[in-house]
Amino acid sequence: MRIPPSTADETRTAPDGAHLLVVDDDADLLRLLSMRLRASGYRVRTAESAEAALACLAVERFGLVLSDVRLPDRDGLELFEEIRQTWPALPVILLTAHGTIPDAVEATSRGVFGYLTKPFDSKTLLDKIAQALQIGGAPRACEEGKAAAGWRDAIISHSSRMATVLDEARLVAASDASVLIRGDSGTGKELLARAIHDASPRAARPFIAINCGAIPEQLLESELFGHVKGAFTGAASAHTGLFQAADGGTVFLDEIGDMPLALQVKLLRVLQERAVRPVGASRAQEIDVRILSATHRDLEAALVAGTFREDLFYRLNVVSLILPTLDERREDIPLLANHFLQGLARKYHKRLRGFAPEALEALTTAAWPGNIRQLQNVVEQASALATTPLIPLALVERALRGPSIEALSYAEAKMRFERNYLIQLLKLTDGNVSDAARLADRNRTEFYRLLQRHSLTPSLFRGDTADVARERQHGFN
């Protein structure tokens, strides 16, 4: 397949050296396309199948995907659908040697940015790529510098999964659309909300975060919308609500899934009317705020259960961003751990330089059900006990043994409970097996079998010679 020669206009270089992924099973065309794109200033990675392309996307950031429609393992539209599932903001341009108008209409209606028929003019292709990168807000090399640093300074990451979320966050920040941030506890939902605010035109105005689950239900309405003097017992003076305090800026409603139904109705009215009525007031006050919200709950299940209003859900969920768990971005663990360590060293005036290699390996391979918040706690515990500049493995292992990170199977949990229960019974009865068996509602022979299963010796709880003789009879040494 021949690419037509370039025109004089094509001598321009690509702004900022965006990173492109080119997918085609024709090795000659792949090589020619790569040469042309690199000559125009782009960085290029190639793949000869859809699976190879998805593998590249999993480990690298790209500004655009350029793919043939006919691939050996699936067609380009199928690849596009898979890309859209995980990287919805990533623009895709499809190339085909057998294009028809209906094909092009279908592709663009499904969200494909461009659809070009071979042989295509190189200038047309380069113009389409430049347009996609500009509209799509794709990451450029220079964006890693000062221009991009400010709005996301607090988010420490070089993970491709997080990079995708941040690309989407920066895109949505320019609008006033409501954003629902989903993610497990400890994944950094408030940090992302603040980053969206800092990247938005409202950055100079207030950002006010409200934890809907932390404020008592009877006080939540007053905290959100304010109250007038005498509105209720104890209202000795007027109180400005958090929505009024955030006027012109952003309100972040954390754990929105915990908001009581009665207050959901009032919040919906605020979103519809862009005005709040303080408790006890006869007139509403106009406000101008952007709403960001977050939850770790399954709101779709709450809709079915009737604990969350459907109309409010659609008002809040105009754009949905999903934060990955720490287990899904393990490459960030060393980066985050050292970031936390440096902060703690400054805070406590300790000479801490990092982690021993085996300690860092333990952090990287551990399970993190508590996500970033749990990692921060583990690093703080290890650093508090450290007496050397490098945190050793022993301190990391000690911190990791905490109950907050232990995940047991049902059988393991049952065995542990049973052992602890037997120990408590023996303590309570001073090692008297007959009394302990009676309290457990088990006969003495069965109780001895339970003790043997857990290698528990009753005489350790009481030095009684008769008990020792009975233990030997039942096989205890």
Side-chain angles (χ1 to χ4, degrees), residues 103-119:
D103 291 338
V105 170
E106 181 190 0
T108 53
S109 69
R110 288 164 70 171
V112 173
F113 186 85
Y115 189 90
L116 299 179
T117 302
K118 304 173 186 176

Side-chain angles (χ1 to χ4, degrees), residues 1-13:
M1 169 79 208
R2 183 180 64 86
I3 299 178
S6 62
T7 65
D9 290 340
E10 292 170 355
T11 58
R12 69 195 186 284
T13 57

Side-chain angles (χ1 to χ4, degrees), residues 250-450:
T250 303
V251 170
F252 172 55
L253 299 172
D254 198 7
E255 298 305 344
I256 188 68
D258 294 337
M259 180 173 280
L261 270 171
L263 200 57
Q264 290 178 32
V265 177
K266 296 180 180 179
L267 175 60
L268 179 64
R269 186 177 300 120
V270 168
L271 298 181
Q272 290 170 336
E273 299 175 0
R274 293 291 169 182
V276 298
R277 178 176 295 179
V279 178
S282 57
R283 296 167 63 178
Q285 302 172 9
E286 289 188 3
I287 55 164
D288 171 28
V289 296
R290 183 190 191 170
I291 302 296
L292 306 177
S293 54
T295 184
H296 72 281
R297 297 188 182 278
D298 183 346
L299 288 188
E300 284 81 359
L303 295 179
V304 174
T307 57
F308 202 85
R309 291 183 61 93
E310 186 175 10
D311 44 9
L312 178 60
F313 173 77
Y314 289 115
R315 280 275 180 177
L316 297 174
N317 192 35
V318 177
V319 177
S320 180
L321 298 178
I322 302 175
L323 276 171
T325 64
L326 189 55
D327 286 342
E328 294 170 324
R329 45 183 290 212
R330 286 189 175 273
E331 62 268 44
D332 283 342
I333 292 174
L335 194 66
L336 288 163
N338 280 298
H339 170 73
F340 294 142
L341 189 68
Q342 290 166 16
L344 291 164
R346 290 191 298 269
K347 180 179 178 180
Y348 297 120
H349 308 290
K350 297 186 74 170
R351 293 181 60 235
L352 300 172
R353 290 193 291 105
F355 295 85
E358 59 273 19
L360 201 56
E361 182 181 357
L363 289 173
T364 306
T365 57
W368 296 104
N371 294 295
I372 299 170
R373 187 181 299 123
Q374 181 192 350
L375 173 63
Q376 186 172 11
N377 289 342
V378 166
V379 172
E380 183 160 11
Q381 180 179 332
S383 62
L385 297 172
T387 57
T388 58
L390 283 182
I391 304 289
L393 173 63
L395 287 182
V396 167
E397 287 180 333
R398 173 174 173 168
L400 286 171
R401 282 196 296 268
S404 62
I405 67 165
E406 192 170 18
L408 301 176
S409 69
Y410 174 77
E412 290 170 331
K414 182 179 177 182
M415 287 291 285
R416 179 169 296 189
F417 171 81
E418 190 173 86
R419 177 181 172 83
N420 290 337
Y421 174 71
L422 293 172
I423 288 171
Q424 293 304 315
L425 283 179
L426 292 172
K427 285 181 177 179
L428 187 65
T429 60
D430 291 327
N432 187 306
V433 176
S434 298
D435 290 345
R438 186 170 60 254
L439 289 172
D441 197 21
R442 292 290 182 270
N443 63 56
R444 196 167 63 181
T445 301
E446 183 183 0
F447 196 81
Y448 269 120
R449 281 201 297 269
L450 287 173

